[in-house]
Amino acid sequence: MAPTPPEPATLDVTIVLPCYNEQTHVVAEIERITKSMDASEFTYELLVIDDKSTDNTLAVLREAEPRFPHMRLMAFQRNGGSGTARRIGSQEARGGIVVWTDADMSYPNERIPEFVQYLRDNEHVDQVVGARTSEQGSHKALRVPAKWAIRKFAEVLAGTKIPDLNSGLRAFRKEVSLPYLRLLPPGFSCVTTITLAFLSNQHQVDFLPIDYAKRSGKSKFHFVRDAYRYILQVLRMVVYFNPIKVLMPLALFLFGLGAVKAVVDVIQYNFRVTTNAMLLIVTGLIIAAVALLADLIVRSRAD
């Protein structure tokens, strides 16, 4: 059966707002977003997704819903993670432009109309990301160097400068994003994924500097676990779209190292080559063959 084509957009903007245990401040965030969007010229919906909160977030949202006519509440029956909420929210969006942001008061959500207008004014741009000018998260001493290293690694693999790899505030064209939504992981690294998916497929991504405030409530970020997932997701996305960029340098390095070792062995051991040198050469050739095969599969893939 052929896949059902997405319904045409009936609104200008859908703002996807995942919520998990945000009872103390979620209404204030909704008020801030609604006020800025009501003052703009855009038709919009605010799709608020409760990710099976364990506090009273859902009850607070249901109580507040009648006050906000543009708000649409979606309640998950089990916790799926922020990536799952953003994926489903984007698929269900009625707006031609989808905005992702957080409900923890950390992002300047009053600037959402500016991001939407930027896409309106720049038709060649498919995604605009809020690049944070400061780091206010927990474990700051560890997060800053770790995120810098991961971002630089992603820049090398993606072949372009990335001011902020995992900002939670961004706006993108829904039609462009649809082929990549299925790639989103359930956790925080979904923002990294959508950035690299666009960049790896030659979609223009621009960055606007934003202020970043200390979040309200308790952070759900776990440094070791989530940093590890970020690294894996960067590798996964680049291998998915451009495997040669990851595998071929490793193959050439091993092959070159084995070739140098073989030359040294010939001189040192009277024209005999050691097993180590042969293993390095063969391993390099195998990885190169895998890289070429993976590249062929990528180029023949429908998406």
Side-chain angles (χ1 to χ4, degrees):
M1 180 182 296
T4 304
E7 295 183 3
T10 57
L11 299 170
D12 294 329
V13 188
T14 292
I15 302 161
V16 178
L17 188 70
C19 300
Y20 180 69
N21 293 351
E22 314 279 5
Q23 64 177 12
T24 60
H25 48 268
V26 65
V27 174
E29 189 68 274
I30 292 172
E31 288 175 345
R32 180 165 62 143
I33 295 173
T34 300
K35 181 179 178 181
S36 65
M37 292 303 298
D38 285 345
S40 73
E41 63 182 29
F42 305 115
T43 59
Y44 75 97
E45 64 171 345
L46 177 56
L47 181 53
V48 181
I49 301 175
D50 178 71
D51 193 19
K52 193 60 176 179
S53 296
T54 57
D55 63 0
N56 291 322
T57 297
L58 182 57
V60 169
L61 289 171
R62 283 177 172 158
E63 182 181 356
E65 189 175 10
R67 294 169 46 198
F68 302 100
H70 296 284
M71 173 178 161
R72 179 158 62 107
L73 178 60
M74 182 182 296
F76 283 0
Q77 297 304 307
R78 62 183 181 87
N79 180 265
S82 62
T84 301
R86 288 185 169 102
R87 173 178 58 81
I88 293 176
S90 300
Q91 291 169 334
E92 296 293 324
R94 297 168 181 165
I97 292 175
V98 176
V99 175
W100 286 359
T101 190
D102 291 339
D104 57 13
M105 307 296 290
S106 58
Y107 289 100
N109 288 332
E110 67 276 2
R111 292 183 60 186
I112 288 176
E114 176 186 343
F115 280 61
V116 177
Q117 189 62 50
Y118 189 92
L119 290 178
R120 280 278 191 90
D121 295 340
N122 300 272
E123 295 183 357
H124 66 287
V125 177
D126 292 316
Q127 182 174 182
V128 57
V129 179
R132 293 164 292 182
T133 56
S134 63
E135 175 60 62
Q136 299 293 337
S138 57
H139 310 292
K140 187 174 179 179
L142 296 174
R143 283 171 65 125
V144 171
K147 289 173 69 172
W148 179 87
I150 295 172
R151 179 168 57 83
K152 289 300 180 183
F153 179 60
E155 287 180 348
V156 171
L157 294 179
T160 187
K161 184 174 178 58
I162 306 174
D164 194 336
L165 181 62
N166 58 338
S167 170
L169 176 59
R170 62 191 59 229
F172 53 85
R173 304 187 193 279
K174 177 185 176 181
E175 184 179 4
V176 177
S177 73
L178 289 176
Y180 313 123
L181 294 179
R182 61 185 175 82
L183 304 176
L184 297 182
F188 291 104
S189 53
C190 63
V191 291
T192 303
T193 302
I194 200 72
T195 302
L196 290 174
F198 274 54
L199 290 173
S200 298
N201 284 276
Q202 304 303 310
H203 298 296
Q204 181 68 30
V205 179
D206 284 2
F207 295 83
L208 297 179
I210 61 170
D211 295 326
Y212 186 60
K214 184 177 178 60
R215 67 157 289 133
S216 298
K218 184 179 179 181
S219 174
K220 289 90 175 177
F221 183 87
H222 299 275
F223 176 76
V224 175
R225 184 187 67 192
D226 289 315
Y228 175 70
R229 288 177 177 175
Y230 275 133
I231 295 172
L232 285 184
Q233 194 62 20
V234 169
L235 280 171
R236 181 181 293 119
M237 293 306 298
V238 178
V239 169
Y240 186 86
F241 291 114
N242 193 356
I244 280 186
K245 196 141 196 175
V246 175
L247 298 176
M248 194 57 75
L250 177 61
L252 293 176
F253 172 76
L254 293 175
F255 181 85
L257 187 63
V260 171
K261 182 68 166 58
V263 171
V264 173
D265 291 343
V266 166
I267 297 172
Q268 188 173 357
Y269 300 115
N270 194 22
F271 290 96
R272 283 183 289 180
V273 180
T274 62
T275 303
N276 290 340
M278 292 304 301
L279 282 175
L280 286 169
I281 292 172
V282 171
T283 301
L285 290 173
I286 291 174
I287 295 176
V290 170
L292 292 171
L293 180 61
D295 184 68
L296 179 64
I297 294 173
V298 167
R299 293 179 183 277
S300 63
R301 198 171 54 210
D303 61 348

